[in-house]
């Protein structure tokens, strides 16, 4: 028997007039689900209005070889789903042990005692250099990301949720001049090559950790990648795709 969500799709097959997708890769299967629907793609890009461009530019321009390096992640903290929080915390621990100028923060709602124990251990070992923020408001997440240098989007390789995605977290890193560390099947991965560390499903965990450690030890390269991230972000802003919403309505009413 199909799941309830699929049953609704079957019942609504000929009654859906319009669909917004977040990635063109899904438009063909959407067409198969809803053959009478008008389809427009609006990727989940961030809006430039939500970020302080001058603050981000200043962060990059003033970044020196001995300056603090901030690693950050705010999002799902469920190890039972698709995000690899264990790997993230292993990277954090190795980075904190390797470089005294590194600080790490993690935010999100956590109901996992094992993860909470790891947070406590990192706090005990590294003091204020590690911070578990809990659930934080969107405005704080933006401020934190604007101040950061490296961010993470790590999907467990064994998850059944390993699918092509339009990663809003990565787009936010770019607009904040943050270097994304990605292990996922993401849109535009080739475009991210000069401003991020991108890993495949089969990449060994030790290799991912080592490449992050190597980047932390090369602040000149890190600064260049931050500059590249901010430049590339101009291709991934909501203002460039928002009109597709209007296009859908125009097409709908013209038919």
């Amino acid at each position: 028997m199909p799941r309830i969500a699929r049953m609704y799709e079957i019942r609504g097959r000929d009654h859906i007039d319009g669909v917004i997708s977040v990635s063109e890769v899904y438009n063909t299967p959407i067409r198969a689900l809803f053959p009478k629907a008008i389809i427009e793609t609006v990727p989940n890009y961030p809006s430039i209005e939500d970020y302080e461009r001058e603050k981000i530019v200043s962060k990059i321009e003033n970044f020196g070889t001995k300056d603090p390096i901030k690693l950050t992640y705010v999002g799902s903290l469920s190890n039972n789903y698709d995000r690899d929080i264990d790997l993230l915390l292993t990277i954090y621990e190795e980075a904190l042990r390797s470089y005294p100028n590194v600080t790490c923060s993690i935010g999100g709602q956590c109901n996992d005692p094992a993860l909470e124990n790891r947070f406590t251990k990192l706090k005990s070992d590294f003091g204020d250099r590690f911070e578990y923020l809990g659930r934080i408001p969107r405005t704080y997440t933006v401020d934190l990301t604007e101040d950061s240098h490296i961010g993470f989007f790590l999907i467990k390789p064994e998850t059944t949720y390993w699918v092509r995605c339009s990663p809003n977290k990565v787009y936010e890193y770019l607009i904040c001049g943050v270097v994304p560390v990605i292990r996922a099947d993401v849109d535009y991965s080739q475009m991210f090559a000069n401003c991020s560390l991108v890993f495949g499903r089969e990449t060994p965990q030790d290799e991912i950790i080592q490449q992050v450690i190597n980047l932390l030890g090369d602040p000149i390269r890190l600064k260049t990648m931050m500059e590249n991230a901010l430049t590339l972000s101009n291709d991934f802003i909501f203002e460039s795709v928002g009109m597709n919403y209007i296009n859908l309505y125009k097409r709908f009413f013209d038919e």
Side-chain angles (χ1 to χ4, degrees):
M1 290 291 294
R3 295 184 178 182
I4 292 177
R6 180 64 185 124
M7 292 175 66
Y8 281 124
E9 290 174 345
I10 294 171
R11 290 287 300 272
R13 173 179 172 85
D14 294 326
H15 304 282
I16 301 299
D17 297 309
V19 177
I20 293 290
S21 70
V22 297
S23 173
E24 291 184 356
V25 73
Y26 294 121
N27 289 358
T28 297
I30 288 172
R31 173 65 62 199
L33 287 173
F34 307 115
K36 297 183 179 180
I38 296 170
I39 302 171
E40 286 285 351
T41 301
V42 183
N44 44 1
Y45 299 159
S47 171
I48 55 177
E49 294 182 356
D50 294 336
Y51 301 87
E52 296 184 40
R53 182 82 174 190
E54 291 182 3
K55 174 183 175 182
I56 296 165
V57 170
S58 177
K59 173 190 70 175
I60 297 173
E61 289 181 345
N62 296 322
F63 181 72
T65 58
K66 296 183 179 180
D67 283 353
I69 301 175
K70 298 181 180 180
L71 282 58
T72 189
Y73 170 80
V74 178
S76 170
L77 298 184
S78 175
N79 253 334
N80 297 321
Y81 189 41
D82 65 325
R83 304 301 167 94
D84 200 339
I85 307 304
D86 281 333
L87 174 57
L88 173 67
L89 295 179
T90 300
I91 293 172
Y92 274 11
E93 181 174 4
E94 186 65 27
L96 289 165
R97 292 194 187 283
S98 300
Y99 300 101
N101 63 326
V102 165
T103 63
C104 300
S105 60
I106 183 169
Q109 185 171 342
C110 182
N111 299 308
D112 186 334
L115 283 181
E116 291 174 348
N117 288 338
R118 292 195 69 180
F119 298 158
T120 300
K121 181 66 164 56
L122 287 169
K123 187 69 173 180
S124 174
D125 289 346
F126 301 104
D128 292 341
R129 294 174 59 211
F130 171 80
E131 187 173 19
Y132 168 52
L133 303 167
R135 187 173 182 177
I136 59 176
R138 170 66 182 158
T139 52
Y140 188 9
T141 300
V142 170
D143 288 341
L144 178 68
T145 308
E146 288 176 338
D147 286 335
S148 298
H149 304 89
I150 297 178
F152 297 85
F153 184 70
L154 304 172
I155 301 297
K156 287 184 173 181
E158 68 272 17
T159 183
T160 57
Y161 192 67
W162 188 278
V163 295
R164 176 66 65 86
C165 59
S166 179
N168 59 305
K169 178 59 67 177
V170 172
Y171 303 140
E172 181 170 60
Y173 290 148
L174 297 180
I175 204 169
C176 289
V178 171
V179 175
V181 178
I182 305 166
R183 183 179 65 187
D185 183 9
V186 297
D187 286 344
Y188 312 114
S189 59
Q190 292 183 337
M191 294 180 67
F192 301 154
N194 70 344
C195 67
S196 66
L197 300 180
V198 182
F199 303 99
R201 193 172 190 175
E202 305 303 324
T203 304
Q205 178 170 302
D206 289 347
E207 180 179 336
I208 297 173
I209 296 169
Q210 190 58 55
Q211 287 206 35
V212 175
I213 296 303
N214 291 346
L215 179 59
L216 291 171
D218 191 348
I220 295 176
R221 178 187 174 210
L222 175 57
K223 181 175 182 177
T224 298
M225 293 176 71
M226 291 163 60
E227 293 170 341
N228 293 341
L230 185 58
T231 299
L232 182 62
S233 72
N234 295 322
D235 294 334
F236 299 101
I237 55 174
F238 178 77
E239 285 75 8
S240 68
V241 295
M243 277 298 296
N244 290 355
Y245 277 113
I246 305 301
N247 292 339
L248 183 142
Y249 288 110
K250 285 182 177 179
R251 292 173 60 192
F252 175 74
F253 288 113
D254 286 345
E255 291 192 357

